[in-house]
Amino acid sequence: MNTQEVKDTLDTYVMHTYGRYDLVIDHGHGSKVYDKEGNEYIDCVAGIAVNSIGHTHEKVAKVLAEQAKKLIHVSNLYYTEEQAKYAEKIVKKSPHDKVFFANSGAEANEGAIKLARKYTGKGEIITTNGSFHGRTLATLTATGQDKVKKGFAPLPSGFKYIDYNNIKQAEEAITEDTAAILVEPIQGESGVRVPDDDYLPSLRKLCDEKNILLIFDEVQTGFGRTGKFFASELTNTVPDITTCAKAVAGGLPMGLVLANKEIADAFNPGDHASTFGGTALVCSVASAVLDIYDEENLVQKSQDNGKYFMEKLESLKENHDCINEVRGRGLMVGIDINYDCGDLVAKAQEKGVLINVTNGNVIRFVPPLLITREELDKVVEVIDEILP
Ligand code: PLP
């Protein structure tokens, strides 16, 4: 198919739930992707924080091909060595004791909500305005943005919203019925919003005092994105439950619900399940992904190169009054612009850089963690050229 045929066919046969950018991506490697005409782009979208190990990593390709010849899927009615090895590896890397395998961020959050309700015997989940937790009915209800809920009533009950980064509102919102507070350590979709340093530790303290659970949605922030393996490490705050997805399996669908033993043990056989959760194929790739993080020092790279990148972006303020703020941690970076700047996406694309604008006015960069300084320099150069 040529470029136009791909677009026309997708528009005809796929439900129109996505506003797509005008680009057909044909292949990719490392931090770069290429269209059908062979044009090269530095990918600062990275599947929206999914491709942290870059595109088509050779190790992943090898493991994937080998595992596909051995065993792809069996039901969770059986044990597999691939799942055993990965479960041990990821749990030991986390501050938790047990994991449940899901297939997406929304599904991981659904699992966390169910677990919190089952463990506490209470129904109410407090979430924050501006948050994003997924598109299933429970997780879109958990999401603190009206636009994702419109048209889907009736919504499940049991959710309550407070302002992000406001500990007083959290204190006031907790009732006898509260099971948990669910929060992103840094809000992604609403424009890379970093809370004050004492916000998450204060939430931890509050949850302990009130005997409710603290759940961190690390679907976007997890796996080195913020310069620590888990963003919770940025403020040394250990939640009771952590959810992850995006970067977990290098682009294959995988979600994680990680919890402490006492809480995790509230789930009994039959309480929760997922047909595709933790297949041999996905677990073998996810194991390779963790090895790649270690071998290529990706978490440290995210921290160091993120700092380098943010300093360079910060310097653009001198020539561009439209920049309100450059913010983020590691390689999760946003430039807050003083107008709705969606048009910048096409302008950057024309110059060989893929970016994304979230919340209308925030340019978001979540590139592969192995992106080089040379590539980041080029990104800054392009942003400098396209900003008014
Ligand atoms: N939670 C957060 C913080 C997210 O950023 C996202 C997706 O952007 C989700 C949950 C939902 O993940 P998924 O699209 O895999 O269901």
Side-chain angles (χ1 to χ4, degrees):
M1 283 185 189
N2 65 31
T3 295
Q4 196 53 48
E5 283 165 352
V6 172
K7 290 188 210 166
D8 291 345
T9 308
L10 281 172
D11 288 344
T12 305
Y13 293 108
V14 175
M15 290 191 198
H16 194 215
T17 62
Y18 303 105
R20 299 189 202 253
Y21 299 138
D22 188 18
L23 178 64
V24 176
I25 296 177
D26 185 68
H27 60 282
H29 192 67
S31 302
K32 309 235 175 72
V33 291
Y34 302 82
D35 64 20
K36 281 187 159 287
E37 287 74 39
N39 297 310
E40 181 180 278
Y41 304 88
I42 299 175
D43 187 5
C44 289
V45 178
I48 317 188
V50 166
N51 303 102
S52 288
I53 56 161
H55 295 274
T56 59
H57 197 289
E58 271 164 30
K59 187 164 187 152
V60 165
K62 190 164 175 275
V63 168
L64 197 50
E66 277 168 12
Q67 187 63 40
K69 285 186 236 160
K70 181 174 178 267
L71 186 70
I72 292 179
H73 168 82
V74 288
S75 163
N76 279 302
L77 292 170
Y78 305 97
Y79 293 95
T80 68
E81 185 177 337
E82 288 80 5
Q83 195 180 94
K85 282 185 173 162
Y86 183 62
E88 182 175 10
K89 231 169 171 169
I90 188 59
V91 164
K92 286 190 170 163
K93 201 146 182 86
S94 81
H96 302 294
D97 306 313
K98 291 203 170 195
V99 63
F100 173 84
F101 293 118
N103 305 288
S104 67
E107 200 193 332
N109 285 333
E110 285 271 346
I113 291 164
K114 281 180 71 178
L115 182 58
R117 287 183 172 167
K118 185 87 201 303
Y119 174 72
T120 60
K122 296 176 177 177
E124 193 176 82
I125 309 288
I126 297 173
T127 69
T128 57
N129 292 320
S131 60
F132 186 78
H133 299 296
R135 299 281 189 166
T136 61
L137 279 169
T139 58
L140 76 81
T141 307
T143 293
Q145 300 184 49
D146 288 342
K147 65 176 187 220
V148 307
K149 306 180 193 193
K150 228 173 128 205
F152 301 116
L155 300 176
S157 59
F159 294 90
K160 198 174 189 176
Y161 313 92
I162 55 174
D163 284 346
Y164 192 60
N165 200 25
N166 185 327
I167 194 71
K168 193 159 179 293
Q169 281 197 14
E171 278 165 20
E172 288 166 1
I174 295 169
T175 68
E176 287 289 293
D177 295 326
T178 306
I181 298 180
L182 166 64
V183 70
E184 292 157 85
I186 295 175
Q187 287 190 338
E189 297 305 297
S190 66
V192 191
R193 291 173 65 201
V194 185
D196 296 340
D197 286 347
D198 62 353
Y199 178 59
L200 299 174
S202 302
L203 277 184
R204 175 70 280 175
K205 198 162 160 273
L206 179 65
C207 290
D208 287 342
E209 280 164 14
K210 301 283 184 184
N211 205 17
I212 62 169
L213 300 184
L214 181 60
I215 307 171
F216 279 177
D217 176 344
E218 293 236 30
V219 166
Q220 189 163 150
T221 55
F223 280 66
R225 176 55 51 197
T226 67
K228 297 281 182 189
F229 193 80
F230 293 103
S232 56
E233 295 165 44
L234 289 168
T235 54
N236 294 318
T237 315
V238 181
D240 300 296
I241 304 175
T242 301
T243 58
C244 296
K246 291 184 181 283
V248 174
L252 265 61
M254 187 177 218
L256 309 173
V257 185
L258 291 149
N260 303 340
K261 186 175 183 316
E262 188 188 313
I263 297 163
D265 286 349
F267 270 165
N268 293 308
D271 281 341
H272 198 49
S274 181
T275 295
F276 292 114
T279 64
L281 185 78
V282 167
C283 282
S284 65
V285 170
S287 276
V289 166
L290 286 183
D291 293 344
I292 292 166
Y293 268 75
D294 287 344
E295 287 156 16
E296 303 190 15
N297 211 9
L298 290 185
V299 179
Q300 193 60 44
K301 275 190 184 142
S302 170
Q303 192 178 118
D304 297 344
N305 291 339
K307 193 161 171 284
Y308 172 82
F309 184 47
M310 275 180 65
E311 279 166 13
K312 290 218 133 190
L313 290 176
E314 190 69 40
S315 71
L316 296 182
K317 272 181 170 174
E318 270 174 41
N319 295 329
H320 303 283
D321 290 346
C322 63
I323 300 179
N324 284 330
E325 192 187 13
V326 175
R327 56 182 182 243
R329 294 283 183 275
L331 282 167
M332 180 172 181
V333 177
I335 311 182
D336 193 307
I337 302 287
N338 70 5
Y339 67 97
D340 273 0
C341 61
D343 62 316
L344 294 177
V345 171
K347 289 182 180 163
Q349 187 182 310
E350 257 171 48
K351 293 179 181 287
V353 172
L354 301 188
I355 54 168
N356 151 259
V357 167
T358 186
N359 205 36
N361 72 319
V362 180
I363 309 174
R364 177 174 45 175
F365 304 89
V366 280
L369 304 184
L370 43 66
I371 194 165
T372 63
R373 289 196 175 190
E374 205 184 8
E375 287 163 338
L376 289 170
D377 288 345
K378 161 91 178 156
V379 173
V380 176
E381 204 181 291
V382 166
I383 298 298
D384 190 20
E385 281 167 21
I386 62 172
L387 281 180

